[in-house]
Amino acid sequence: MQNLTRIVQRRVTAVVRGSLALVLLLTLAFGAGAQELTADEILDELEGTAFVGSGSATIELITINARGQERSNRLAFYRQETAYGANQLLEYLSPADVAGTKFLTVDDESGETLMWLYLPALGRERRIAGSATQDNFMGTDFTFEEIGSLGNFATDFDAERLADEKYQDWDTYVLRLTPQSADSKYSAVKMWVWKEHFVPVRVEFYNRQGKLDKVLINEDLRPDASGRWQPYLITMRNENTGSRTVIRVLETSAEPVPDDYFTLRYLRR
Amino acid sequence: MRSLRSVPAWTWVAVLALLLAMVPGASAQQATVRGNAGYQLAYGYESGEIAESVLNIELSLEQRLGFDGKLHIGFDGLVPLNGGDARFDVGEAYVDWYFDTTDWRVGRQVINWGTADGFNPTSVINPRGALSPAALAKGELEGEPVLAVQGSYYLPSGGSLTGVAVAEFVPAAGADDMLAAIAAGVSAGLGGLPVDVERPAPVPSDGSQIEWAVRGDWLVGNHNVYVSYFRGWDDYPAAWLEYTPGMPPVAKIATQYRRVHEFGLATAGTIGGAGFWTELSYAVPEKLAVLDGPGAISSNEGYVEAVVGADYTFRNGVMVSGQVIYNGGGSLLMPYKEPGAAAQPQTYLLGIARYSPEVGHNLEGILLANATDGGIIAAGRYTYEMTQAVKLTAGLSHVMADAGAEFAALKSAANLVTAGVEVSF
């Protein structure tokens, strides 16, 4: 029982965060052109182009601790736009000890997100509670709050536009975001957004003491098969622990994913 | 007629391999082989002996087939290093077929039903041993695979109906030891009179051994609801004490397998940020007249088993879960009672906590308490993921129970220090 619980809980936190990290990929992937915009309008562009469409991706997720030890997981991700939000399925492809694990999320008509985890060793699905998403994702440097907030900048943050900057080779808008919730673990978020395609290329997270906590960097920006620009290399670096998490996008497809993928039936196979 | 149980497990592998060979296109698909190997050492600090020193290996092969389906074959091996025979078994070995609205699974399989963690009263198809410290430590939750056909029909509304037919009856392990312990106690009470335990007659192989079950599941108000029914054989034989006065008197424990109805209801959902689940079953065993007598060790009465549980993960990453377990049939550790005594329903509290302070380091604790007599089994474990494929574990379990409490007898077996290593590939 102890072992089961250990397995379940570890997979829960891992898989849940995995799905959310991939949401991040999509969030940061899409952009649209604009000229002079306010901070809120820039956020709206991010918000309006996030979580759009259906498709699939294969990614490699690598965690690297301060001692340089690496762990790698390969995952398949499927997403489907629905009238109530989105359905998402995350499937672990490797390594062996997690392969076959699947995580399904469904946005229902009440606005609730239903989540199920399937572990091959358990042989049945398990409902997952929202609180299980508050841990780090698979020991990575992503947390639910970070991922969730990236998807909800316009609603969860007050935005202020700072002076534009040249960041590496990109002309960027620079935004300072202040969380509206006093419960947020961050006092501020600073974001560099590539003007041409509205892709955030750097995001800095500052803790409640105003100290830089984490840095998200998006690189290898290029259009996918559908012409949408997205980062194929995403790095989240923890400034406190020295650890970092790297997400490599190996393959993407904009082909619609069949409805069957987002059912308990597919989960059980 | 030859009992299906007597057919070697390798036979099922051969049958499945033949099926695989007959499937066009199957050989073109790449097989996936996964497994793990490990070593586990347990030292009983109460008994002063090594309780366990075993090598174990698990291997599974999975291959997509030419049609929409897959083949799965699993192997388990156990090599005790401190005595005992090595064991290598075929685990699950089945073929899946997926059709438009139905999915089929044929072969040796484990069918896990239920929503609770660790103790699932509605999961009754595969034989399961009684809850034991070893099971607590190892997480041996899957039952013994059985030869079965499982078909699921998926409703357009999102629910499903599942039917299962089990071709063989596989009893739960451990009944012999439990009854031998009861016999020893009876013998002591009779001044050392020998008390034999008769083994039950096998379940007939004329078709009446077939067990079947049905389950429906639906989403009701964002809660998964599962309703199930099982008709088959009780995993443990009914038992009673027979005492014949005379010179000398004769005493023995007689046993007999009997059929049982099991009705089940399980739910799983969320309330706020917490997970919440319930599981309820009602078992109605076949009545045996002899169990109405003074020597009954099993009961004729139906009984309820129930679990209510919840879990929550705090922002700092600490996960806690709690379950209340009610067993109207008596002890979770043993399905029998003292001869002639009434079954004493038991209530248990199960608490679990887990925390990962750093990547690759995991702490977990479990507490099982008998709410009636106050006995407690506590266990903790630390896991270090040395590399992605290699895990080291160290654990401690301890029993706190007064003399006469249910868990008191476990002290010598469950007061353990454990260490292990596992390599996955």
Side-chain angles (χ1 to χ4, degrees), chain A residues 13-14 42 46 53 73 85-86 89 110 124 126-127 147 155 157 167 178 193 209 231 268:
Chain A
T13 51
I42 294 169
L46 293 178
N73 295 270
L89 176 72
S110 70
R124 62 176 166 86
R126 189 184 195 278
R127 276 297 288 272
I147 304 304
T155 55
F157 290 83
Y167 176 75
T178 305
V193 180
Q209 289 73 44
R268 293 167 182 165

Side-chain angles (χ1 to χ4, degrees), chain A residues 10 72 108 122 131 134 265, chain B residues 99 103 112 273 315 385 388:
Chain A
R10 288 181 55 200
S72 173
D108 76 354
L122 184 59
S131 66
Q134 295 184 38
R265 180 184 188 184
Chain B
F99 296 93
D103 288 349
N112 274 339
R315 294 186 67 86
E385 296 175 15
Q388 192 156 350

Side-chain angles (χ1 to χ4, degrees), chain B residues 222-308:
Chain B
N222 290 348
H223 283 248
N224 289 91
V225 177
Y226 306 84
V227 179
S228 59
Y229 170 72
F230 169 81
R231 176 60 169 160
W233 296 87
D234 197 336
D235 291 337
Y236 289 94
W240 61 94
L241 177 67
E242 292 183 352
Y243 179 77
T244 307
M247 288 301 291
V250 176
K252 68 175 182 181
I253 291 178
T255 56
Q256 178 184 331
Y257 288 116
R258 57 177 171 167
R259 296 173 72 89
V260 65
H261 301 271
E262 296 256 9
F263 302 88
L265 172 66
T267 69
T270 60
I271 298 177
F276 181 75
W277 58 86
T278 63
E279 207 167 328
L280 176 73
S281 79
Y282 182 60
V284 184
E286 176 186 356
K287 292 190 185 303
L288 302 178
V290 69
L291 296 182
D292 291 329
I297 298 173
S298 301
S299 175
N300 267 336
E301 302 303 316
Y303 58 91
V304 169
E305 294 176 299
V307 180
V308 177

Side-chain angles (χ1 to χ4, degrees), chain A residues 83-97:
Chain A
Y84 309 117
N87 299 331
Q88 297 175 149
L89 176 72
L90 184 71
E91 183 172 0
Y92 279 72
L93 306 177
S94 68
D97 62 336

